[in-house]
Amino acid sequence: MKKLVLKAVVKSVGLYINTLSYLHPKKSLSLAYQLFSQPRKGKLTPERLPKTLVKAEQESHTHNEHQFYTHTWKGNDDIILLVHGWESNASRWKKTLSHLKKTGKTIIAIDGPAHGLSSGKEFNVPLYCEFIDKIVQKYNPTIAIGHSIGGNALAYFQAHYPHNFEKMVLIGAPSDFKVILSNYISLLSLNSKVHQQLANYTKERFNIIIEDFSASNFLKNTTIPGIIAHDIHDDVVLIDEAKKIASTWKTAQFIETKSLGHSMHDEKLYQTIIEFIQ
């Protein structure tokens, strides 16, 4: 029953935006982008941190008008950077941490824009990568692991910033932004007018042509060793996205899993990643 109600609400919102696109185009674009870019969960407060993060060292960083946070578990001088996905935060690595700590390396998990303890209401990959760049410049991590859109952000980072990680792992990561946008358009049943408005806005604001915004494109010339792990039963990001990345990232190992869904928590997979890192 709840699913039917939610679906009806979503379609009603889409109908409202479609109607606005003819009566007040600017308002329809503003609302459509707002719903697309603002996460509805994943925020944290200092007073109610998950136990996983309480055991870490929190550090605040400033970037323009933004304040964002990292959570650090100290080890040796080698650093692993963890980059979470949409509507998540640094605590999503809870099940991964115990395995990564076996490497002896220092682990830094970042809270993306509008996620975790970080400020803001809007999330986008270019801004996420600006946060990542600040951490990279300060700590020089050699290993990067990204889940979901966090993996897409790492691919974008490698193509647009001078730093090269020594190794990189993408878990359940999408490739093409046009697929993400099309899924959003389909979810709300938005019309072609709104779709084009969002495409134009993305190009004007971020200087990004949607068709070119692709992890498979970003990583096609890299020689960085990597792992692309994806589950065949992932219904959030289809495995076809991982196959696109694997088709161009020639120095990466492609791992297909079964029945892990989008979260991809698995002892065997973690062991493979640790062996790769070591």
Side-chain angles (χ1 to χ4, degrees), residues 235-271:
D235 57 1
V236 176
V237 177
L238 298 183
I239 195 169
D240 290 348
E241 292 295 287
K243 291 178 179 179
K244 292 175 189 174
I245 301 173
S247 70
T248 59
W249 188 6
K250 301 301 183 182
T251 51
Q253 176 188 359
F254 182 41
I255 300 174
E256 283 189 13
T257 62
K258 295 181 180 180
S259 303
L260 300 183
H262 189 57
S263 63
M264 296 287 288
H265 295 303
D266 179 68
E267 297 286 328
K268 184 178 179 181
L269 176 61
Y270 290 147
Q271 186 58 42

Side-chain angles (χ1 to χ4, degrees), residues 22-268:
Y22 295 100
L23 301 175
H24 302 286
K26 289 184 178 180
K27 287 185 179 181
S28 70
L29 171 60
S30 177
L31 180 56
Y33 182 74
Q34 177 184 330
L35 292 174
F36 179 69
S37 64
Q38 290 188 8
R40 286 158 290 283
K41 59 181 180 179
K43 289 287 283 185
L44 299 172
T45 62
E47 298 77 23
R48 300 186 65 181
L49 280 181
K51 290 182 180 179
T52 303
L53 301 185
V54 170
K55 298 177 182 178
E57 178 183 297
Q58 278 73 46
E59 185 176 6
S60 173
H61 310 267
T62 302
H63 175 65
N64 297 331
E65 73 276 20
H66 303 283
Q67 184 179 35
F68 69 98
Y69 280 77
T70 53
H71 310 264
T72 301
W73 296 265
K74 289 188 176 180
N76 59 34
D77 291 339
D78 291 333
I79 295 174
I80 301 172
L81 178 63
L82 303 181
V83 184
H84 69 76
W86 173 252
E87 294 187 336
S88 186
N89 53 61
S91 69
R92 78 85 50 201
W93 302 105
K94 174 183 177 181
K95 295 181 180 179
T96 319
L97 283 168
S98 60
H99 299 273
L100 293 179
K101 286 177 181 178
K102 295 175 184 177
T103 66
K105 301 179 188 295
T106 291
I107 302 166
I108 299 177
I110 188 171
D111 280 334
H115 289 83
L117 295 176
S118 297
S119 66
K121 294 182 178 180
E122 178 188 352
F123 173 91
N124 62 70
V125 166
L127 178 58
Y128 204 175
C129 287
E130 290 175 23
F131 288 11
I132 292 170
D133 185 49
K134 294 278 288 190
I135 302 308
V136 164
Q137 289 189 49
K138 187 171 184 177
Y139 293 108
N140 192 35
T142 55
I143 310 294
I145 303 175
H147 174 252
S148 193
I149 199 68
N152 185 277
L154 287 176
Y156 180 94
F157 181 85
Q158 286 299 126
H160 293 85
Y161 289 83
H163 179 86
N164 281 325
F165 298 109
E166 292 180 9
K167 295 179 180 179
M168 197 161 63
V169 179
L170 307 188
I171 303 172
S175 175
D176 297 354
F177 180 72
K178 66 179 181 181
V179 173
I180 298 172
L181 182 59
S182 293
N183 289 342
Y184 170 69
I185 295 295
S186 177
L187 178 66
L188 270 68
S189 298
L190 298 177
N191 61 31
S192 58
K193 185 178 178 68
V194 178
H195 195 166
Q196 191 59 51
Q197 280 182 315
L198 288 168
N200 293 341
Y201 179 75
T202 301
K203 183 178 180 181
E204 291 169 8
R205 182 176 172 191
F206 302 109
N207 193 29
I208 292 172
I209 298 174
I210 286 180
E211 288 72 21
D212 295 337
F213 195 98
S214 166
S216 61
N217 185 43
F218 298 149
L219 295 172
K220 65 182 179 181
N221 294 319
T222 189
T223 56
I224 300 169
I227 286 178
I228 305 162
H230 213 103
D231 195 80
I232 62 173
H233 299 120
D234 188 339
D235 57 1
V236 176
V237 177
L238 298 183
I239 195 169
D240 290 348
E241 292 295 287
K243 291 178 179 179
K244 292 175 189 174
I245 301 173
S247 70
T248 59
W249 188 6
K250 301 301 183 182
T251 51
Q253 176 188 359
F254 182 41
I255 300 174
E256 283 189 13
T257 62
K258 295 181 180 180
S259 303
L260 300 183
H262 189 57
S263 63
M264 296 287 288
H265 295 303
D266 179 68
E267 297 286 328
K268 184 178 179 181

